[in-house]
């Protein structure tokens, strides 16, 4: 009986048909996306790995010092140097390139959607449940469609990551704009703002700290997802962790784990500081 | 022509304004309309006009519609019905572009919570309006600096609003409004968020600034003292209606209804009411034309024991007492000049009556009121000053006749016996 029902419904079969149809008919589109994402990814990888690691370590430390203070500056200097000594520099930069690529694309999509959701209650009502749904799914689930449409490799890794890390960018952009005080909006209007001036000279700058908090969350989600994406051959530190697990190389797994933690702390502290720009301590 | 005119303005908030109007026409109250239709009447048939360079205060309790009215003047809120004429042009009929232009050039607004942009410096905030109109950077910074100087913020250009006190932040708000060079300033409870000392200081500075800049100011407040201090004229609102418009003195001396009376009863009247409101006509005698007999007759008619002696230009020379005049008649002299005494006090019509109290208690003669040419405008005596002041006394605090009090005390005693 159950067996019969199962063959009748054949959910897996139907799904395959839909996917096949999509890949057959939108092949060009998926190829274009793949090319584009790949191009962005490769350029970031190039930029990050082109200078000598010492130079990059110095630059990261300087950035951390400038944005987050002396403590994080020293931590970054020592931590990044350790990564280099352990021999993980290249894979760490690969991971960073994956994160940056995913986050850039996530923001290019997420911020405008967030603005739309802030401006239109209808858009908010549509976007909100979609975001809620996206955030209830476990991270692994995003790997399946990414692999189906883009096979294995870095590009599906980026796609899965950007989808996974998109929600906070949308949410906090919308929230930030909706939270702009009514009087500031009135002031902008009363001094003769066009809708464009309202957005770019009042709403977005006033909402910026909140949007930046969203950017921080997006980056941290992206980092965690990029590691998981090692399972589909995205490369970077995720691959090393996976190797450590599957081949029972405890040392390798531990060292790549330390590299991830160092990168995570660096990214978190530096982007957190963006949410507290100078001058408005309010 | 008035620079700003509001004619039969209505604003109804809610789902079905037309239903509210049907009830309004039947004379229903704001409360009834809210209960029956779910619409809030924000403004109910308000009309007023503001002259160039006037400071026009709109006052009323919370929820009376002040903010709604001022926001209709630049269409931050769309009126439901009525006209708002600025320089004779109806802003309700303006195109989007014209409205934008009017907001940029003619009207600037100052807000209760300052509404400064936190990511911009003081200078950046001050030049904000000019930036929106596309004024080149150098020019707009120069104008912004000038405005900052006017409000006393020179040297603070590079600070951020969060680094300033409330009073200073509102100066930035004022500078931002002035930098545009508008004809009309709209100030919605601009000083209400400041603590009392700073608030008084800001009021003084606004008055000073206004003396040189001569803008037209629409100023909203729920504080009567502020209204009386700043306003050339005051409009009082209640439940969306304008119940009275007048000078501070008119509002105090002739409140239109109980609502206004309740509003004004706690005011320190001695600071607001001027001599002109309480002075009365004085008997006069032309010193070089009339003699003692004429003087006596006039004094008798007025039941006065003195008369005011004027020269040919009607300038006050002094007083003549009835005793002196009678003596002259007995001595068969016709000339009043030798007996004219100048031991009296004078004042001007626009002096606040509080300033007269001390003098009035000292002298037995009325105080003469002279206009700017030295001519006698009238006289004020002690009785009329005290009479004016006692108008607003609380009935329950008034002195009680001893007889009444004794009677009251004896009644319960009798019962006990
Ligand atoms: N957006 C709105 N929607 C519905 N009702 C409103 C709205 N804005 C104002 N009202 C109502 O209109 C009336 C007038 O409000 P308004 O803000 O003009 O009063 P106000 O005199 O400025 O009061 P306050 O001294 O508290 O600022 C009030 O009854 C208020 O509840
Ligand atoms: Mg108000």
């Amino acid at each position: 009986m159950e067996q019969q029902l199962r063959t009748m419904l054949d959910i897996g079969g139907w799904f395959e048909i839909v996917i096949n149809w999509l890949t057959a008919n939108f092949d060009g589109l998926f190829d274009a996306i793949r090319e584009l994402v790949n191009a962005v990814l490769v350029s970031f990888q190039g930029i990050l790995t082109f200078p000598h690691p010492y130079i990059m370590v110095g630059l990261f430390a300087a950035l951390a010092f400038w944005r987050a203070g002396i403590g994080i500056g020293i931590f970054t200097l020592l931590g990044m140097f350790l990564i280099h000594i352990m021999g993980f520099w290249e894979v760490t930069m690969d991971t960073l390139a994956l994160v940056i690529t995913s986050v850039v694309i996530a923001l290019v999509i997420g911020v405008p959607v967030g603005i739309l959701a802030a401006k239109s209650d209808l858009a908010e009502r549509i976007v909100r449940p979609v975001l809620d749904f996206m955030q209830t799914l476990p991270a692994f689930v995003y790997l399946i469609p990414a692999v189906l449409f883009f096979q294995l490799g870095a590009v599906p890794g980026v796609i899965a990551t950007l989808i996974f890390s998109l929600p906070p960018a949308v949410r906090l952009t919308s929230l930030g704009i909706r939270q702009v005080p009514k009087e500031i909006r009135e002031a902008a209007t009363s001094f003769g703002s066009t809708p464009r001036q309202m957005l770019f000279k009042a709403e977005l700058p006033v909402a910026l700290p909140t949007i930046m908090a969203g950017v921080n969350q997006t980056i941290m989600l992206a980092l965690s997802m990029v590691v998981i994406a090692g399972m589909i051959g995205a490369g970077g530190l995720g691959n090393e962790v996976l190797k450590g697990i599957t081949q029972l190389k405890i040392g390798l797994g531990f060292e790549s784990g330390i590299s991830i933690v160092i990168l995570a702390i660096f990214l978190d502290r530096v982007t957190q500081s963006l949410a507290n720009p100078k001058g408005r301590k309010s | 022509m008035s620079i700003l005119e509001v004619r039969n303005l209505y604003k109804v908030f809610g789902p079905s304004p037309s239903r509210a109007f049907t009830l309004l026409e039947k004379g229903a109250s704001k409360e009834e309309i809210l209960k029956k239709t779910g619409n809030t009447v924000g403004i109910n048939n308000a009309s007023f006009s503001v002259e160039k360079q006037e400071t026009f205060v709109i006052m009323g309790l919370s929820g009376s519609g002040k903010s709604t009215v001022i926001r209709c003047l630049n269409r931050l809120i769309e009126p439901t019905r009525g006209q708002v004429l600025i320089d004779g042009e109806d802003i309700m009929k303006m195109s989007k572009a014209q409205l934008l232009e009017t907001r940029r050039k003619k009207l600037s607004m100052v807000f209760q919570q300052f509404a400064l942009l936190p990511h911009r410096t003081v200078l950046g905030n001050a030049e904000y309006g000019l930036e929106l109109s596309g004024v080149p950077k150098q020019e707009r910074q120069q104008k912004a600096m000038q405005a900052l100087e006017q409000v006393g913020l020179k040297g603070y250009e590079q600070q951020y609003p969060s680094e300033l006190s409330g009073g200073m932040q509102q100066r930035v708000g004022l500078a931002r409004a002035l930098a545009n060079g508008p004809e009309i300033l709209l100030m919605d409870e601009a000083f209400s968020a400041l603590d009392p000392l700073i608030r008084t200081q800001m009021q003084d500075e606004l008055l000073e600034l206004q003396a040189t800049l001569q803008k037209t100011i629409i100023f909203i407040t729920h504080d009567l003292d502020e209204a009386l201090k700043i306003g050339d004229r005051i409009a009082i609102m209640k439940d969306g209606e304008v119940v009275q418009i007048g000078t501070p003195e008119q509002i105090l001396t002739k409140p239109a209804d109980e609502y206004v009376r309740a509003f004004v009863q706690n005011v320190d009247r001695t600071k607001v009411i001027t001599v002109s409101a309480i002075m009365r006509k004085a008997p006069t005698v032309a010193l070089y034309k009339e003699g003692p007999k004429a003087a006596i007759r006039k004094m008798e008619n007025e039941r006065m024991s003195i008369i005011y002696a004027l020269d040919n230009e009607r300038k006050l020379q002094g007083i003549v007492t009835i005793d002196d005049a009678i003596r002259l008649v007995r001595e068969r002299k016709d000339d009043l000049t030798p007996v004219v005494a100048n031991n009296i006090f004078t004042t001007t019509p626009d002096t606040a009556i509080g300033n007269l109290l001390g003098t009035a208690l000292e002298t037995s003669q009325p105080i003469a009121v002279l206009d700017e040419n030295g001519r006698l405008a009238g006289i004020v005596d002690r009785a009329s000053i005290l009479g004016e002041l006692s108008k607003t006394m609380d009935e329950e605090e008034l002195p009680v006749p001893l007889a009444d009090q004794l009677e009251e005390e004896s009644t319960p005693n009798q019962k006990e016996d």
Side-chain angles (χ1 to χ4, degrees):
Chain A
M1 172 68 189
E2 280 178 14
Q3 190 61 38
Q4 270 179 329
L5 209 55
R6 179 192 232 154
T7 35
M8 261 168 63
L9 284 174
D10 191 21
I11 292 174
W14 282 110
F15 185 65
E16 239 170 85
I17 291 172
V18 172
I19 296 294
N20 285 342
W21 181 81
L22 280 175
T23 42
N25 288 283
F26 293 92
D27 212 22
L29 178 67
F30 291 127
D31 276 349
I33 294 176
R34 162 190 289 281
E35 291 302 316
L36 182 72
V37 170
N38 203 44
V40 177
L41 182 62
V42 168
S43 11
F44 279 126
Q45 270 169 343
I47 294 169
L48 291 170
T49 50
F50 174 69
H52 189 275
Y54 286 170
I55 297 177
M56 291 309 287
V57 170
L59 284 178
F60 286 138
L63 180 67
F65 171 66
W66 174 50
R67 295 303 323 186
I70 182 81
I72 295 299
I74 292 172
F75 169 83
T76 305
L77 189 70
L78 297 179
M80 292 280 181
F81 186 66
L82 179 66
I83 291 175
H84 175 58
I85 295 297
M86 291 190 299
F88 284 99
W89 186 255
E90 291 266 324
V91 281
T92 304
M93 288 307 105
D94 285 351
T95 295
L96 189 56
L98 282 167
V99 169
I100 295 176
T101 307
S102 313
V103 168
V104 166
I105 301 174
L107 294 183
V108 166
I109 298 169
V111 172
V113 172
I115 293 173
L116 191 69
K119 294 274 169 176
S120 140
D121 286 338
L122 178 66
E124 173 88 3
R125 275 206 298 278
I126 296 170
V127 166
R128 181 164 284 245
V130 174
L131 294 181
D132 288 343
F133 178 68
M134 283 168 77
Q135 287 195 313
T136 53
L137 290 183
F140 292 96
V141 174
Y142 290 99
L143 298 177
I144 298 164
V147 169
L148 288 175
F149 292 120
F150 300 97
Q151 288 88 43
L152 297 176
V155 171
V158 169
I159 302 287
T161 303
L162 86 86
I163 295 174
F164 181 71
S165 61
L166 189 65
V170 179
R171 255 188 228 287
L172 285 153
T173 302
S174 171
L175 179 72
I177 292 179
R178 280 176 184 266
Q179 275 178 343
V180 171
K182 180 164 165 268
E183 270 205 344
I184 288 191
R185 252 179 246 279
E186 285 186 332
T189 310
S190 75
F191 281 98
S193 287
T194 59
R196 224 188 137 79
Q197 288 174 324
M198 171 67 91
L199 182 64
F200 287 105
K201 288 188 186 287
E203 288 174 331
L204 281 180
V206 173
L208 195 65
T210 310
I211 296 175
M212 281 304 166
V215 172
N216 171 265
Q217 286 183 22
T218 294
I219 288 176
M220 297 323 287
L221 284 181
L223 181 60
S224 67
M225 188 65 197
V226 156
V227 173
I228 293 170
M231 285 173 49
I232 55 169
L237 288 166
N239 266 21
E240 305 302 308
V241 175
L242 198 67
K243 258 190 259 170
I245 297 170
T246 51
Q247 302 171 12
L248 286 178
K249 290 181 178 169
I250 298 174
L252 176 69
F254 186 67
E255 284 178 354
S256 43
I258 288 181
S259 305
I260 291 171
V261 170
I262 292 169
L263 186 62
I265 292 177
F266 165 74
L267 285 176
D268 184 44
R269 290 312 169 85
V270 168
T271 56
Q272 245 179 31
S273 73
L274 296 176
N276 308 307
K278 292 177 175 165
R280 45 165 147 197
K281 296 158 206 151
S282 69
Chain B
M1 189 182 63
S2 313
I3 187 166
L4 179 95
E5 199 173 339
V6 171
R7 287 189 194 151
N8 307 101
L9 195 69
Y10 290 89
K11 175 69 194 181
V12 176
F13 295 102
S16 50
S18 54
R19 284 185 62 204
F21 273 113
T22 350
L23 287 175
L24 268 182
E25 273 152 25
K26 286 184 194 150
S29 77
K30 181 174 165 170
E31 253 170 83
E32 284 168 352
I33 291 172
L34 180 61
K35 218 184 260 171
K36 283 189 189 153
T37 70
N39 295 291
T40 307
V41 180
I43 309 173
N44 182 3
N45 198 11
S47 299
F48 58 86
S49 58
V50 181
E51 302 305 316
K52 237 186 161 88
Q53 306 182 346
E54 183 180 25
T55 304
F56 188 81
V57 172
I58 301 175
M59 194 180 65
L61 298 177
S62 184
S64 57
K66 310 178 295 285
S67 296
T68 310
V69 166
I70 205 168
R71 278 166 177 69
C72 283
L73 304 183
N74 57 4
R75 273 175 72 182
L76 278 181
I77 292 179
E78 286 294 321
T80 317
R81 276 190 198 172
Q83 288 179 302
V84 176
L85 307 175
I86 292 170
D87 281 334
E89 240 188 308
D90 190 350
I91 73 154
M92 294 308 296
K93 297 208 178 88
M94 284 183 186
S95 67
K96 268 190 184 161
Q98 284 174 310
L99 180 61
L100 218 57
E101 198 61 12
T102 306
R103 285 173 175 165
R104 288 175 176 179
K105 300 267 156 71
K106 292 195 173 168
L107 303 149
S108 288
M109 197 154 179
V110 182
F111 293 84
Q112 181 169 5
Q113 302 297 335
F114 323 137
L116 301 176
L117 295 165
H119 61 287
R120 287 173 173 243
T121 60
V122 166
L123 181 63
N125 270 287
E127 68 181 310
Y128 175 67
L130 294 164
E131 187 180 320
L132 293 180
S133 344
V135 176
K137 187 164 180 137
Q138 211 177 352
E139 186 186 337
R140 70 176 189 241
Q141 292 205 333
Q142 188 200 332
K143 284 186 177 165
M145 289 293 288
Q146 203 180 332
L148 286 171
E149 216 166 302
Q150 280 170 341
V151 301
L153 278 182
K154 203 181 154 119
Y156 291 92
E157 301 84 26
Q158 298 311 324
Q159 305 239 305
Y160 283 88
S162 59
E163 298 168 325
L164 302 179
S165 68
M168 303 247 269
Q169 288 189 39
Q170 193 56 300
R171 280 166 215 245
V172 180
L174 194 54
R176 174 174 69 179
L178 290 174
N180 274 18
E183 295 168 35
I184 303 175
L185 282 182
L186 305 175
M187 304 180 75
D188 186 5
E189 307 229 13
F191 302 151
S192 299
L194 306 175
D195 53 48
L197 270 177
I198 306 289
R199 185 172 180 167
T200 314
Q201 196 183 336
M202 292 293 283
Q203 291 164 354
D204 293 337
E205 282 175 35
L206 182 67
L207 286 173
E208 245 169 72
L209 213 55
Q210 172 65 352
T212 52
L213 294 180
Q214 309 260 303
K215 301 281 180 195
T216 306
I217 301 178
I218 319 284
F219 191 100
I220 287 189
T221 181
H222 57 244
D223 178 36
L224 183 63
D225 288 324
E226 188 167 73
L228 296 172
K229 179 168 170 184
I230 290 181
D232 294 321
R233 279 189 309 148
I234 299 172
I236 296 191
M237 289 191 70
K238 177 197 174 192
D239 291 345
E241 285 177 88
V242 175
V243 291
Q244 186 171 10
I245 300 176
T247 62
E249 220 167 326
Q250 285 166 347
I251 300 268
L252 282 190
T253 51
K254 299 189 187 76
D257 61 9
E258 271 314 307
Y259 178 78
V260 182
R261 198 188 310 279
F263 232 116
V264 301
Q265 79 177 5
N266 292 325
V267 172
D268 184 356
R269 304 170 75 88
T270 59
K271 291 200 184 114
V272 183
I273 296 182
T274 58
V275 166
S276 57
I278 58 166
M279 69 187 183
R280 59 191 169 92
K281 258 187 83 190
T284 59
V285 62
L287 194 50
Y288 307 120
K289 290 180 190 155
E290 295 172 295
K293 280 183 187 155
I296 292 167
R297 184 166 34 80
K298 283 182 180 175
M299 279 185 263
E300 278 170 354
N301 284 348
E302 298 281 334
R303 298 172 194 281
M304 294 269 293
S305 60
I306 59 170
I307 193 162
Y308 291 80
L310 308 181
D311 68 6
N312 289 344
E313 281 160 1
R314 297 191 55 79
K315 281 193 180 157
L316 181 64
Q317 300 300 310
I319 55 168
V320 174
T321 64
I322 196 155
D323 296 341
D324 285 340
I326 290 170
R327 191 163 45 81
L328 285 181
V329 173
R330 272 204 216 108
E331 292 169 7
R332 293 174 196 274
K333 286 182 185 155
D334 269 351
D335 188 8
L336 280 170
T337 14
V339 297
V340 171
N342 55 9
N343 59 340
I344 54 164
F345 291 89
T346 67
T347 184
T348 56
D350 48 10
T351 307
I353 58 178
N355 301 322
L356 268 50
L357 277 173
T359 315
L361 293 176
E362 267 172 35
T363 113
S364 53
Q365 308 293 14
I367 299 170
V369 185
L370 302 184
D371 65 14
E372 62 266 41
N373 301 317
R375 298 202 181 106
L376 185 69
I379 53 171
V380 188
D381 57 26
R382 198 185 304 172
S384 51
I385 295 175
L386 293 179
E388 181 58 41
L389 293 184
S390 63
K391 267 188 194 166
T392 54
M393 299 295 164
D394 193 338
E395 296 249 334
E396 299 188 352
E397 312 251 328
L398 289 180
V400 186
L402 178 62
D404 290 0
Q405 188 143 6
L406 291 176
E407 197 173 311
E408 214 167 277
E409 276 169 17
S410 64
T411 330
N413 284 350
Q414 278 170 350
K415 269 187 186 164
E416 267 173 39
D417 284 353

